[in-house]
Amino acid sequence: MRNIFFIVSFFLGIQFSNSQELKNQPKPFGPLPTQKQIDWQEMEFYAFIHFSLNTFTNKEWGYGDESLQLFNPTALDAQQWARTVKEAGMKGIILVAKHHDGFCLWPSVYTERSVKNSPWKQGKGDVVKELAEACRTYNLKLGLYLSPWDRSRADYGKPEYVTYFRNQLKELLTNYGDVFEMWFDGANGGDGYYGGANEIRKINTLEYYNWEETYKLIYKIAPETLVWGIGPSEARWIGNEEGYANKTNWSLLRQKDDLAGKVHYTDYMSGHEDGEKWVPGEADVSIRPGWFYHAVEDDKVRSLDELVDIYYNSIGRNATLLLNLPVDQRGLIHQNDIQRLKELVAVIKSDFKTELLAHTKTKADNVRANSSRFSAKNLIDGDKNTYWATDDEVIKASVEFQFKKPTAINRIVLQEYIKLGQRVKAFSVEAKVDGKWQTVANETTIGYKRILRMDRVIASAIRINILDAKASVLLSNIEAYNAPTFVKMPVIQRDRKGAITIKSEEASQIYYTLDGSIPSEKSNLYQGVFNCEKAVTIKAIARKEAEGIRSAVATVKYSASKENWKIIAVSSGDIQSAERIIDGNPETIWAFGNEKHPLPQEITIDMGSVKNIKGFSYLPQQLGNNLNLIANYEFFTSTDIKKWTKQSQGEFSNIKNNPIEQVKTFDSVKARYLRFVALSAIGSGETVSINEINVLEE
C-alpha cells in the first residue's frame, strides 16, 4: 500500500512540475515565423545560377526575339555547379529557369521557345532536370526562378498569358522534385518583342497576375515551397542588389501596405518594427558586376574584401545570402569565380574556427521564474531549442560570460529564439579589460542571427546588455571568436594623365606588378605615385610586416590614359564641366538634358589619335537618391569627324536596381572620335548623368 502511495506521489509530482513549466513558458509575441520560414532562414547561404540565351548574346536582359540556335553550351555540367556550391558550404541552388526573354531551360509543353528547339543535345536536353539530379547527388536543396515578365509572348498583358505562366509553374513544381524556394522577379512590363509587336506594354503588377490565386496554386502543389518576391510573399527582397541589409533589420513587414503600393523598396533593407507579417529578408548579389556571364568581366570578379563584407552584412544582419554564380558559354562556373569563392570560404572558416564561450561561467541578472530551464547556460549549450529568458515585465537585462583567463575576442554572434517572435530593439556589448568594463559595441536588432565585427580586445569577461525589447528577452545562442587579422586589398587609382596611386591601410607595405603576374614580397615595392600612360594590368598586395600577413590580390586593367582626350561638343549643358566624364575619377559627375533640352542628348569626344577599340563603358552615378540613369543609348565612332558609324545601340538592362559600370562590346574598329547618345532615362525625367566614359582597346 505504501509503495502505491509513493508511486502516485511521484507521478503527481511530475505532473505538477510539468504544469509549472508550462505555466512559466513565455508566450509568443507579435508576428511569428512558420516552420518553413525557420528552415529557410537556417539555410543562411545558397547560390543563384543565371544561365540562358543571354549568356550567348552577351546581354543582361534579352528582348525576346533571340534565335534559339544560339543556345549550345559545349560542356554543360550541373554536377560541377553543385560540387562548387557544396564545397563553399552553401545549402542550395536557385536556378533561373526562365528569364525575361521567355527562353525556358526545360522542354516546356506550353511553348516552342525552350531547350527542346535548341542545338544543345539535339533538343533532348533539360537543364532543370540535370541540376535537380546534381542537387540530389550533393544533398543540396533546389530552388527555381520563373520570370513573371515575358518579353517574347504576344499574349503578355492579356489574361491568356497568366494561364500560360501558371501552367509553367505547375510543370516546374511537379516534374523536378521538392523546390525549397520559388523566386519571382519584380521586373514586370516594359518594352519587348512580344511576338513581333515591338512595343511597350504596361501592367499593374499586383493586379495582373492575381498573386493570391497564383500562391494558392503553388501551395496546393508544393506546400513546403517558400515563395519569394511579388505579392503576399514569405520572404522579401532586401532592397538592393549589393548583398547587404541595414544594421537594424526586422523580419517583419507591413505587407498590407506593401501590397497596396504604399511601401518604398528602400524600406526592405530594414523591415518594419510594427509590421503585421513575418517576412524576413533575402540579400541577393552577384559575384561579378552582372548577373549573366560576360567574358569582359572575367577580371572583375568581386574582391575578397567585398565578399567578406557582404557575408557579414547579410547573414550577419538577420538576412539570408543568395550569391549568384553566372555560368559561362561552356556551361561551367568560371575558374576565377570558383577561386574567389574558395578564398571567401577560407576566411569565414578561419574567422569562426574556435568558439570561446562554451566553457565560460555564465550569470544573468534575471532568469524567468528562477528556473534552470531558462538559465543563461542555455546560451552556450549548442542546442538551438533552448534559450535564456527573462520574466514577462523585464525588457532590460544583462548576461555575463567569465573566462578562466584573459581571452582575445573580436567577433560576437547572437541569436534570438525567433519561434516566439523577434523582440530585441537595442543592445550593447561590454568587455572587461584590466579589471574595467568598456563598451565595445552599441547595436539595435538581433533576430535570427547577428554577427558583430569588433576591434580585438583581451577580456576577462564579456557582458551583453539588452537595452530595450518589445517583450521579455529570449536569446537562444551567443558565441565569441578571435578571428585572424584581415588585411584589406590595396586600392589602385589612375588619373587622366596616367599617374598611379596605390593606397592601403596604415603600416602596410604594398607590392605590385605591371605585367599581369601575381605580386609577392619580391615584386616592386610601392614608394609613391608613378606614371604609366600605356594600357596596363596592375596587380598589388598589401602586407602587414609586423604580423607577416598579406591581403588578397587587387587587380585593375587600364586602357591607355586619357591625357589627350577632349570634349569637343555637347548637345546641352556646360562643355567645360563635361570634362569630368573623362577625368579618370569615378566619383566626379556630369549631367545634361532638362525640360528645355529633352532627351535624346549627345556628347562628342576626341581621343587625340586613332585607336583600335572593341567596345565602350558607361559608369553611371553611384550615390544619391536620384541617380539620373540612362536607359537606352547609341554609340558612334569616326576617324575624321565627318563620317560616323553606329557601333552599338540598345538598353542598359537592370541598371535601375544594379547601377554598375555598363560595358558594351563590338567588333574591333579604328576610331578617333566617339559620340555617345542618351536616348532615354530611367523614369520620366529629361536629365541624365555620367560619371565616366571609357573605351575597350584592342
Side-chain angles (χ1 to χ4, degrees):
M1 188 72 180
R2 191 168 66 176
N3 288 341
I4 295 174
F5 173 77
F6 282 129
I7 292 171
V8 171
S9 298
F10 175 74
F11 281 109
L12 285 174
I14 292 175
Q15 187 176 14
F16 176 77
S17 176
N18 289 340
S19 176
Q20 284 297 105
E21 289 296 329
L22 288 172
K23 182 180 178 181
N24 292 334
Q25 186 170 325
K27 293 180 180 178
F29 181 86
L32 302 178
T34 63
Q35 188 59 50
K36 186 201 306 186
Q37 288 172 314
I38 292 172
D39 293 343
W40 171 84
Q41 186 121 36
E42 288 179 349
M43 290 178 66
E44 295 190 1
F45 190 22
Y46 40 99
F48 223 170
I49 296 287
H50 277 67
F51 176 63
S52 188
L53 271 174
N54 294 349
T55 310
F56 299 89
T57 60
N58 201 30
K59 296 178 181 178
E60 280 291 287
W61 286 4
Y63 194 63
D65 60 350
E66 298 81 12
S67 170
L68 307 188
Q69 298 304 302
L70 295 171
F71 186 81
N72 194 19
T74 56
L76 191 148
D77 185 359
Q79 297 287 328
Q80 186 241 17
W81 310 353
R83 182 170 60 253
T84 299
V85 168
K86 185 71 174 182
E87 290 174 353
M90 301 187 200
K91 303 296 176 60
I93 299 175
I94 298 177
L95 172 68
V96 176
K98 184 190 82 169
H99 204 249
H100 311 324
D101 60 290
F103 180 73
C104 300
L105 292 182
W106 77 101
S108 174
V109 301
Y110 298 102
T111 181
E112 296 305 305
R113 192 170 173 76
S114 80
V115 289
K116 68 185 180 184
N117 288 315
S118 75
W120 178 60
K121 292 192 172 182
Q122 293 79 49
K124 304 298 182 184
D126 186 337
V127 180
V128 181
K129 181 180 179 181
E130 292 194 16
L131 180 58
E133 291 172 349
C135 285
R136 285 191 284 272
T137 299
Y138 286 93
N139 194 27
L140 296 168
K141 294 184 178 180
L142 174 69
L144 295 170
Y145 167 124
L146 182 69
S147 173
W149 185 24
D150 193 323
R151 301 173 101 180
S152 72
R153 296 283 299 188
D155 57 0
Y156 183 77
K158 301 175 182 178
E160 305 92 89
Y161 173 76
V162 177
T163 300
Y164 167 75
F165 174 65
R166 290 177 181 169
N167 282 335
Q168 291 196 318
L169 268 177
K170 292 176 187 176
E171 285 184 313
L172 292 174
L173 292 172
T174 56
N175 294 337
Y176 300 101
D178 295 336
V179 174
F180 85 91
E181 181 173 342
M182 198 73 225
W183 217 91
F184 295 132
D185 201 306
N188 286 279
D191 61 339
Y193 180 65
Y194 301 129
N198 289 307
E199 62 187 16
I200 294 175
R201 295 184 181 178
K202 295 183 179 180
I203 62 162
N204 184 313
T205 304
L206 294 175
E207 293 179 2
Y208 174 58
Y209 299 99
N210 192 349
W211 284 111
E212 288 193 7
E213 290 302 314
T214 301
Y215 276 49
K216 287 178 184 178
L217 169 69
I218 295 169
Y219 296 144
K220 183 178 180 181
I221 299 171
E224 295 307 310
T225 296
L226 179 138
V227 187
W228 181 99
I230 312 168
S233 61
E234 297 167 282
R236 72 179 193 269
W237 180 41
I238 209 61
N240 62 73
E241 293 186 356
E242 296 300 310
Y244 71 91
N246 280 345
K247 286 186 175 183
T248 297
N249 185 19
W250 294 96
S251 293
L252 314 178
L253 189 68
R254 293 195 296 269
Q255 195 169 73
K256 291 180 180 177
D257 286 348
D258 191 35
L259 294 175
K262 298 179 181 179
V263 174
H264 194 268
Y265 70 86
T266 52
D267 281 9
Y268 301 157
M269 287 184 276
S270 296
H272 295 136
E273 181 182 337
D274 61 349
E276 83 285 347
K277 187 80 179 289
W278 189 278
V279 190
E282 176 187 82
D284 60 322
V285 63
S286 183
I287 201 168
R288 292 169 174 238
W291 290 96
F292 284 93
Y293 175 83
H294 309 287
V296 73
E297 294 180 355
D298 282 349
D299 63 344
K300 293 182 173 63
V301 178
R302 286 185 188 269
S303 70
L304 179 59
D305 298 23
E306 285 182 282
L307 288 179
V308 170
D309 284 345
I310 284 168
Y311 183 91
Y312 278 102
N313 294 336
S314 56
I315 294 171
R317 290 183 178 175
N318 190 36
T320 60
L321 174 57
L322 176 59
L323 179 65
N324 182 60
L325 305 173
V327 169
D328 64 23
Q329 292 187 357
R330 299 170 301 169
L332 301 173
I333 297 173
H334 195 276
Q335 185 57 40
N336 291 5
D337 303 30
I338 294 174
Q339 180 58 36
R340 188 51 44 81
L341 196 55
K342 287 180 177 178
E343 293 170 358
L344 171 65
V345 171
V347 169
I348 299 305
K349 284 185 176 179
S350 181
D351 282 4
F352 299 102
K353 183 178 180 181
T354 304
E355 204 286 308
L356 301 171
L357 298 184
H359 302 294
T360 57
K361 183 179 179 181
T362 62
K363 68 176 182 179
D365 60 5
N366 182 272
V367 174
R368 189 175 186 84
N370 291 317
S371 170
S372 60
R373 183 184 174 192
F374 306 114
S375 76
K377 290 183 179 179
N378 293 335
L379 293 168
I380 57 173
D381 65 358
D383 186 346
K384 66 181 181 181
N385 294 313
T386 63
Y387 50 89
W388 165 54
T390 64
D391 291 318
D392 282 339
E393 69 278 6
V394 177
I395 58 173
K396 297 181 180 180
S398 297
V399 61
E400 186 177 322
F401 304 88
Q402 298 176 356
F403 297 103
K404 293 179 180 179
K405 61 180 182 179
T407 302
I409 291 177
N410 59 7
R411 300 286 187 275
I412 298 287
V413 179
L414 307 99
Q415 293 183 272
E416 288 189 74
Y417 187 71
I418 60 171
K419 286 185 179 181
L420 296 179
Q422 185 179 358
R423 301 163 180 243
V424 175
K425 297 170 65 175
F427 71 96
S428 68
V429 180
E430 293 178 290
K432 197 171 189 179
V433 180
D434 296 330
K436 296 182 180 179
W437 287 104
Q438 63 183 50
T439 300
V440 294
N442 270 302
E443 298 295 343
T444 54
T445 54
I446 296 175
Y448 165 72
K449 180 174 282 189
R450 187 70 191 273
I451 308 175
L452 306 182
R453 288 183 287 181
M454 313 175 304
D455 292 336
R456 183 178 287 109
V457 293
I458 310 298
S460 58
I462 290 289
R463 186 161 64 199
I464 310 298
N465 305 305
I466 305 303
L467 305 176
D468 193 13
K470 298 165 76 173
S472 59
V473 179
L474 273 67
L475 297 184
S476 63
N477 182 49
I478 297 180
E479 300 169 4
Y481 298 87
N482 181 33
T485 300
F486 183 77
V487 183
K488 290 191 174 183
M489 296 190 311
V491 176
I492 305 169
Q493 294 178 324
R494 188 179 75 168
D495 69 13
R496 180 175 174 178
K497 295 182 179 181
I500 293 172
T501 304
I502 311 178
K503 299 178 181 179
S504 182
E505 295 176 336
E506 191 176 352
S508 291
Q509 298 280 8
I510 300 172
Y511 299 90
Y512 68 93
T513 62
L514 301 177
D515 59 3
S517 63
I518 302 298
S520 69
E521 288 74 9
K522 296 180 179 180
S523 302
N524 301 311
L525 174 64
Y526 178 74
Q527 295 178 310
V529 178
F530 64 92
N531 268 59
C532 185
E533 297 88 359
K534 64 180 181 179
V536 65
T537 297
I538 305 174
K539 295 190 176 185
I541 57 169
R543 177 179 168 85
K544 285 197 171 181
E545 299 293 342
E547 298 176 62
I549 53 177
R550 68 183 202 173
S551 72
V553 178
T555 303
V556 176
K557 184 180 289 186
Y558 290 114
S559 298
S561 71
K562 300 178 183 176
E563 184 174 10
N564 297 318
W565 284 34
K566 293 180 182 178
I567 305 295
I568 57 175
V570 294
S571 56
S572 67
D574 175 34
I575 193 169
Q576 303 262 315
S577 60
E579 295 285 325
R580 294 172 188 164
I581 73 170
I582 58 171
D583 64 1
N585 185 347
E587 296 181 0
T588 56
I589 306 164
W590 180 72
F592 64 152
N594 51 45
E595 291 183 0
K596 292 183 179 179
H597 302 91
L599 299 174
Q601 294 290 312
E602 62 185 45
I603 186 164
T604 305
I605 301 169
D606 177 4
M607 295 189 291
S609 62
V610 174
K611 303 177 185 292
N612 292 320
I613 66 172
K614 58 181 180 179
F616 81 97
S617 69
Y618 152 58
L619 180 67
Q621 184 176 337
Q622 302 292 294
L623 301 174
N625 293 324
N626 185 5
L627 302 183
N628 295 317
L629 302 169
I630 298 170
N632 294 83
Y633 74 93
E634 291 177 333
F635 187 83
F636 299 82
T637 63
S638 173
T639 56
D640 59 6
I641 211 172
K642 297 176 181 178
K643 182 181 179 181
W644 290 90
T645 303
K646 184 188 293 185
Q647 303 295 350
S648 181
Q649 68 175 14
E651 66 181 0
F652 295 126
S653 305
N654 199 33
I655 193 172
K656 179 180 179 181
N657 295 322
N658 195 24
I660 59 173
E661 184 177 25
Q662 307 292 308
V663 180
K664 299 294 181 179
T665 58
F666 42 78
D667 292 338
S668 180
V669 297
K670 291 185 180 296
R672 172 172 173 170
Y673 302 96
L674 314 173
R675 178 168 292 160
F676 178 67
V677 183
L679 295 176
S680 64
I682 297 294
S684 57
E686 297 292 343
T687 300
V688 292
S689 66
I690 303 172
N691 276 41
E692 200 76 12
I693 293 288
N694 291 301
V695 294
L696 280 66
E697 290 191 49
E698 186 65 42

